[in-house]
Amino acid sequence: KMDDRNKWILEDLFHRSRLNTIRSRYLHFDTGADDRIYPRIRLYTAETLRWAYSDPPLHQWPDEIRHLIVARPGHVFVRGDYSQLEARIMAYLAGEKKDIEAFSDRTRDVHAETAQDIFSINPVRWLAMDPALRKKHRDYAKKKRYEIGYGASERGAGVQQLFCPCPRCTHKVPQMLQLSPAQNKAVMQRWAATRSTTMRWREKLFEDVVANGRRFVSRWGYTRQFSAPAEKCRNSIWNCPMQSGASEITNEAI
């Protein structure tokens, strides 16, 4: 509270840092003789085999300057995406019946259902909640699902994300529930209890990969050898089917 009067300085520096990153990283690149952009496709630089782009890095193109790249006259850009691909991969590989049924029914929201499970909220109370509070619960459940998929422990606090704190960027910051470490641990224990099939599958995955000489073979044909000691690569083994599997599916589609 003593520093509140100076907070604007930090916010301004943070915002200027973002703008400087945009200026130095995204606004200096070469075009061809036809004024088209030819980024370099980097096939194997990402650990998960995701394709990345450089010169310029179009896959990270900031919203503030996307309007600078336009299609040729008479042409349009087409954007495609898989819906919740990594979450679906985890549900199907684990055989989590409840999630598979939710993903298979377009009228159902798997993240809303997960939120009701982990916060012990019945459907009647859920519908009666303030929409903004309901969204916070849903976003929390969604974030935790992906943290589990990416290899986080059900006991951990999970991955932290950084957002620009200045007033000009507050609309970009997701509104999340503020839980204490004890509350977070209790919620994640309920996640593990309501998705016990997924948690058992993760442990079996780890055991099978270790028994196979720390070698993972995906059902899409990708093989990965883990060189670190077993316990050191536990999270990476848990992460591999989701992120590498999603990369293989996406790359094949491309």
Side-chain angles (χ1 to χ4, degrees), residues 216-233:
F216 171 79
V217 181
S218 82
R219 61 175 55 195
W220 296 278
Y222 167 65
T223 299
R224 179 173 172 184
Q225 180 72 48
F226 295 91
S227 57
E231 284 302 322
K232 294 282 188 181
C233 57

Side-chain angles (χ1 to χ4, degrees), residues 134-249:
R134 192 165 60 219
K135 185 178 187 304
K136 285 185 178 182
H137 282 77
R138 182 190 181 277
D139 289 349
Y140 183 96
K142 178 180 179 180
K143 181 171 181 280
K144 290 301 177 184
R145 175 177 291 277
Y146 281 100
E147 285 179 356
I148 292 293
Y150 294 158
S153 167
E154 72 276 12
R155 298 178 297 277
V159 178
Q160 300 299 311
Q161 291 180 279
L162 291 177
F163 298 92
C164 182
C166 85
R168 288 163 288 188
C169 297
T170 52
H171 66 285
K172 301 177 183 178
V173 180
Q175 299 301 306
M176 299 294 292
L177 293 175
Q178 299 300 318
L179 302 183
S180 68
Q183 290 172 321
N184 183 74
K185 182 178 179 180
V187 167
M188 292 315 299
Q189 286 173 341
R190 286 197 291 274
W191 201 104
T194 59
R195 299 298 186 277
S196 58
T197 301
T198 298
M199 306 314 289
R200 287 195 299 269
W201 168 76
R202 288 209 319 171
E203 289 304 323
K204 187 175 187 309
L205 170 69
F206 174 73
E207 292 169 1
D208 290 346
V209 170
V210 172
N212 195 34
R214 299 197 299 280
R215 185 167 174 265
F216 171 79
V217 181
S218 82
R219 61 175 55 195
W220 296 278
Y222 167 65
T223 299
R224 179 173 172 184
Q225 180 72 48
F226 295 91
S227 57
E231 284 302 322
K232 294 282 188 181
C233 57
R234 179 185 290 271
N235 288 12
S236 297
I237 291 173
W238 284 341
N239 170 283
C240 196
M242 272 62 71
Q243 289 210 297
S244 294
S247 297
E248 291 176 81
I249 292 171

Side-chain angles (χ1 to χ4, degrees), residues 63-74:
D63 292 337
E64 291 92 332
I65 57 171
R66 288 194 174 188
H67 64 281
L68 297 180
I69 300 180
V70 296
R72 287 182 294 167

